[in-house]
Amino acid sequence: MFTTRPAVTVAFLGTLLATPVALADGAPGSCDCAVTPPAAAPAPAPRLARWGVGVHLASITLPDPTGMDDGGTSYGGGGLQLRYRLSPRWQLELSAAHAQEQDVDASVARQLDSVAISALYHLRPFARWDVYLVAGLGATSDGDPDATDEARQASQMGDVRFGGGVERRIGKIGVGAELRAIVVGQREPDATARMAGAPAAAEPQRGGGALTLGATYYF
C-alpha cells in the first residue's frame, strides 16, 4: 500500500510535466507554420457579344452627279447596320441607307441608295466609351422608287470610305457617332456618247463625306 502511493504520485507528476511539452509540440502531424489562405481565382475576362443590329441617321455629301455644283450635293436619311465581331478589336459591318436631297423642293429632290461593307478596329473594346477606326468599300445609286433598272445601273458609283467613330455602351445597347470621308470612283463614259464616237472621258475621282448617329443592340 505504501509502495503504490509513491508510484502513483510519481506518475501524476510526470503527466503534469509532459503536458506543456505536448502542447508546445502540437498534435501529431501538425506544424507551427503560418496558415496561408487559398489564392483567389482570377476574374474571368469580359466577353463581348458577337452580333449587333441597329439603326442610324445619316447626313451624306457627295459630288453633284450633274457636275454643276462643285460643293457637292447634301442628302439626309437613315438606314440599318449589321455587325459581327471577329475578335475584341476587329469587327465587320454591313450597312444600307436611303437618303433624299436636302434644301430643294421635295417634288424634285433626288434620292439615293447607299450600301457599304466595312472593317472596324476598336481601340478600347472593353471600355464604356469605345473609340474605333473604320475603312470600307461602298456603292451609291439612284434611289428613286420609279427609276428603271437601267437608270439605277447607269447612276451607280463605287467609293472608298474611311474615318472613325465613338460609341457609348449602355448594357447591350451602343449609342455612337461616326464620321467618314468618301472618295467616289470614276464613272464610265455615257453609253450614248460612246456609240456616237464622241471622246467622252470618264469622270475624275471626287470626294465627299458622311456623318451618322446610330444605336446598335448587341447579342
Side-chain angles (χ1 to χ4, degrees):
M1 180 179 189
F2 293 102
T3 304
T4 304
R5 185 175 295 176
V8 173
T9 302
V10 171
F12 178 72
L13 292 176
T15 302
L16 292 178
L17 293 175
T19 299
V21 177
L23 293 177
D25 292 342
S30 64
C31 66
D32 57 358
C33 52
V35 178
T36 304
R47 297 184 60 185
L48 296 173
R50 285 283 186 182
W51 292 94
V53 60
V55 297
H56 65 267
L57 299 175
S59 176
I60 306 171
T61 301
L62 291 176
D64 184 2
T66 65
M68 299 177 62
D69 187 358
D70 294 336
T73 303
S74 297
Y75 300 84
L80 305 173
Q81 70 267 8
L82 176 66
R83 293 178 174 179
Y84 179 74
R85 191 175 294 273
L86 300 172
S87 69
R89 292 190 181 274
W90 287 101
Q91 194 173 38
L92 295 179
E93 178 190 82
L94 177 64
S95 61
H98 179 84
Q100 181 172 298
E101 187 178 3
Q102 303 295 295
D103 303 326
V104 295
D105 189 336
S107 61
V108 297
R110 288 171 290 190
Q111 299 184 55
L112 181 76
D113 283 334
S114 173
V115 295
I117 183 169
S118 308
L120 285 66
Y121 179 76
H122 296 267
L123 302 177
R124 308 176 63 201
F126 297 104
R128 289 189 176 181
W129 286 97
D130 179 19
V131 180
Y132 61 88
L133 304 176
V134 58
L137 301 175
T140 58
S141 62
D142 187 353
D144 187 347
D146 296 328
T148 63
D149 293 340
E150 291 77 7
R152 293 178 188 276
Q153 185 174 3
S155 66
Q156 193 173 60
M157 294 186 295
D159 58 67
V160 177
R161 310 179 183 201
F162 57 91
V166 59
E167 185 177 64
R168 173 68 163 87
R169 295 294 295 272
I170 307 173
K172 293 185 176 182
I173 303 294
V175 181
E178 186 178 286
L179 182 63
R180 299 192 188 193
I182 301 177
V183 180
V184 180
Q186 295 180 342
R187 180 184 292 178
E188 291 298 323
D190 182 76
T192 304
R194 291 200 306 268
M195 292 177 63
E203 294 182 3
Q205 292 183 346
R206 293 176 291 175
L211 172 65
T212 60
L213 303 175
T216 304
Y217 174 76
Y218 292 99
F219 60 95

